[in-house]
Amino acid sequence: MTDFRPLLDELRRICGENQVLTTASDVEAYATDWKRSAKGTPLCVVRPANTAEVAAIIKAAGSHGAAVVPHGGNTGLAAGATPGNHGDEIVLSLGRMKAIRDLDPVGMTVEVEAGAILQTVRHEAEKHDRLLPVSLAAEGSAMIGGIVSTNAGGINVLRYGMTRALVLGLEVVLADGTVVDGLRHLRKDNAGYDWKQLFIGAEGTLGVVTAAVLRLVPLPRDSVTALLSVADVETALGIFTLAQNTVGDALSAFELISATSISLVEKHAGLKSPIAAGEWYLLVEASSSLSGLETAMETLLTEAFERDLALDGVVAASHQQAQALWALREHITEAEAREGGGLKHDISVPFGAMADFLIEAGNAVAAVCPGAGFNVFGHLGDGNLHYNILLNGAADHEAVNRAVHDTVGRHRGSISAEHGIGRYRLSEWLRTKAEPEQRLSRAIKQAIDPGGLFNPGKLLPKTSIAGGAE
Ligand code: 2HG
Ligand code: ZN
């Protein structure tokens, strides 16, 4: 067993005595994931104040043979920020590095440190009539470094793309402690390989993202939200086409919610759907800097009723009503956690395959887990569903995962549309990802973090780098 006391002393010299946490109660919150399904035993938690301290920590860790697990708001759903169990990994919390360094409303960019809370940056942008268009239920805790490192999705991907589409520049610290300053506020920059793309969605396995330049958009002045109920997913997809034709490029969210998800939210969050039930619900949002959205949304609902697509529906008449409709969607994850027994999947398939996927995956899961419930909801407009299974008692998790992911594979979909691989989906990634793609991923890791310093056992197995078994 390595004696890490000299390393701990060095970390205290770098960050200050109080910023190196070692007691079980102090590190507890950093040693488990949001779902509390993964647990680890870190050597310590370090909380640097700036990029220079991050670089010094990484150099120190590398020279003493400890690994580094970057840690943001801990809202991820793949256990990508949870340390391993051998007491040889430092959790590097970016939470103290939260400055908004620069906000340019004319160039529409914001330069921000990794520990800034997403919601805080969004609020700051709003003061300047700008929007940072990453919106997710966890935005009150999620940090920019984690948002970038997981290439976070959320409810507005349909309109603005994933986080990747918003990153203009990054500052990262590499395994040897080099600080790479790519914090350029440029819309156009074709000068060589776009290396920052590798760090976006790398889940902290290649380096530490310490700051980012993100693109802003004009703040929509007008926004309309509607809730509809429908009988089946084919019909929901028909309404999606209708929405694209009536609401057009103002369409900013198109979410699917199953009747089971609504029941869970009604049961655990004390909320109530204002419309008559269907098998499925659609939460549709349009937003724009121009007016006229309400008319467009009403046209959508009128046509949906005239064509017998919608069973019931309502357009929110005020901001409060819109928030109440969104609360039904935003409380699903929490309600599922309270219900217990949820086994999460984050899948995407091509639009044309969505209805077949649901039938086939339902049958496949029922075959291996009779009596399972289905808490299905998600970003239908992106072809991405959270296909969460409610297990009643003991179940073979791996068999359920295989049932879902094999169905995804038959439709050339993805087993992780937006949450990442982390620890949670690693074995399924290894089982389902084609060998050339795995080889390419290992080659990237080998080129940038050859010693396997960063986030071992996440996204790729530890053995592929260090050669030793986990
Ligand atoms: C969402 O869309 C999140 O609300 C969480 O991605 C999904 O809880 C989940 O499975
Ligand atoms: Zn989601």
Side-chain angles (χ1 to χ4, degrees):
M1 182 80 193
T2 319
D3 179 7
F4 284 118
R5 277 173 301 183
L7 172 58
L8 289 170
D9 289 340
E10 200 172 331
L11 295 175
R12 289 187 182 104
R13 274 197 297 278
I14 295 166
C15 298
E17 194 79 27
N18 295 335
Q19 306 306 340
V20 182
L21 315 179
T22 50
T23 65
S25 59
D26 282 350
V27 305
E28 198 189 343
Y30 301 86
T32 185
D33 67 325
W34 183 86
K35 287 186 296 170
R36 302 195 167 269
S37 60
K39 284 200 170 38
T41 323
L43 169 65
C44 64
V45 176
V46 258
R47 301 189 298 188
N50 53 48
T51 304
E53 287 186 10
V54 173
I57 292 165
I58 286 167
K59 268 194 203 153
S63 64
H64 287 87
V68 174
V69 181
H71 194 94
N74 208 22
T75 62
L77 293 172
T82 309
N85 294 314
H86 302 295
D88 57 355
E89 296 178 16
I90 295 172
V91 172
L92 179 70
S93 166
L94 280 305
R96 288 176 67 218
M97 294 175 54
K98 51 179 183 231
I100 299 177
R101 292 181 183 166
D102 179 51
L103 196 151
D104 174 5
V106 179
M108 293 203 285
T109 59
V110 63
E111 182 175 325
V112 62
E113 291 183 354
I117 305 280
L118 173 58
Q119 196 172 64
T120 310
V121 186
R122 280 168 60 87
H123 284 165
E124 197 54 37
E126 277 165 29
K127 289 185 199 158
H128 299 267
D129 275 335
R130 297 292 173 257
L131 174 72
L132 173 59
V134 186
S135 178
L136 26 96
E139 65 194 48
S141 317
M143 294 177 190
I144 295 298
I147 293 289
V148 169
S149 297
T150 57
N151 186 26
I155 55 166
N156 292 146
V157 169
L158 172 65
R159 170 87 163 271
Y160 302 105
M162 305 273 284
T163 298
R164 186 182 300 284
L166 304 168
V167 178
L168 298 179
L170 285 186
E171 176 186 80
V172 298
V173 182
L174 302 179
D176 64 357
T178 305
V179 178
V180 188
D181 177 0
L183 289 173
R184 283 180 286 270
H185 295 236
L186 304 175
R187 306 268 155 170
K188 302 180 81 171
D189 181 8
N190 257 352
Y193 287 136
D194 191 3
W195 58 263
K196 69 177 177 299
Q197 300 300 341
L198 291 173
F199 293 83
I200 305 168
E203 303 182 33
T205 61
L206 299 179
V208 181
V209 171
T210 44
V213 179
L214 303 172
R215 194 163 68 80
L216 303 174
V217 299
L219 185 66
R221 287 173 203 286
D222 196 9
S223 151
V224 192
T225 302
L227 182 70
L228 295 89
S229 54
V230 295
D232 51 47
V233 167
E234 299 269 22
T235 311
L237 290 168
I239 295 181
F240 182 54
T241 309
L242 202 57
Q244 282 172 319
N245 295 339
T246 50
V247 183
D249 55 10
L251 194 63
S252 48
F254 196 89
E255 298 283 305
L256 182 75
I257 308 174
S258 64
T260 304
S261 310
I262 293 286
S263 313
L264 285 176
V265 168
E266 290 183 339
K267 177 173 165 193
H268 294 289
L271 302 173
K272 184 98 193 82
S273 157
I275 62 171
E279 276 303 299
W280 300 94
Y281 295 76
L282 291 170
L283 191 56
V284 185
E285 184 197 73
S287 51
S288 174
S289 312
L290 306 175
S291 54
L293 289 179
E294 218 167 295
T295 316
M297 192 64 99
E298 264 150 22
T299 307
L300 168 64
L301 262 76
T302 308
E303 290 205 20
F305 284 125
E306 276 172 4
R307 296 185 195 188
D308 279 336
L309 296 173
L311 301 171
D312 196 7
V314 65
V315 178
S318 65
H319 182 60
Q320 279 87 337
Q321 279 186 16
Q323 278 184 322
L325 295 183
W326 273 105
L328 291 166
R329 168 67 181 84
E330 279 161 5
H331 281 83
I332 301 174
T333 299
E334 195 79 46
E336 180 191 292
R338 280 172 198 257
E339 181 75 6
L343 188 61
K344 287 187 182 294
H345 303 95
D346 169 35
I347 66 94
S348 58
V349 291
F351 279 97
M354 190 57 93
D356 285 346
F357 164 80
L358 284 166
I359 294 167
E360 293 166 22
N363 291 337
V365 170
V368 294
C369 189
F374 295 83
N375 179 31
V376 179
F377 62 99
H379 319 287
L380 186 62
D382 308 327
N384 169 203
L385 293 185
H386 301 305
Y387 192 80
N388 299 348
I389 311 299
L390 300 171
L391 304 169
N392 291 316
D396 182 346
H397 292 198
E398 267 141 47
V400 175
N401 289 340
R402 282 197 299 271
V404 175
H405 294 155
D406 288 350
T407 313
V408 165
R410 279 199 300 280
H411 292 288
R412 291 189 63 81
S414 170
I415 67 161
S416 181
E418 59 171 4
H419 293 169
I421 299 299
R423 243 159 93 161
Y424 189 60
R425 289 195 182 83
L426 181 54
S427 58
E428 281 295 90
W429 185 85
L430 290 167
R431 189 179 72 80
T432 57
K433 201 69 162 175
E435 193 278 330
E437 290 187 87
Q438 291 198 24
R439 195 163 7 111
L440 207 48
S441 301
R442 289 188 167 99
I444 291 170
K445 174 80 173 171
Q446 180 65 34
I448 297 176
D449 179 23
L453 179 84
F454 290 118
N455 223 0
K458 319 291 168 39
L459 198 153
L460 285 171
K462 192 172 177 175
T463 46
S464 68
I465 304 306
E470 209 343 15

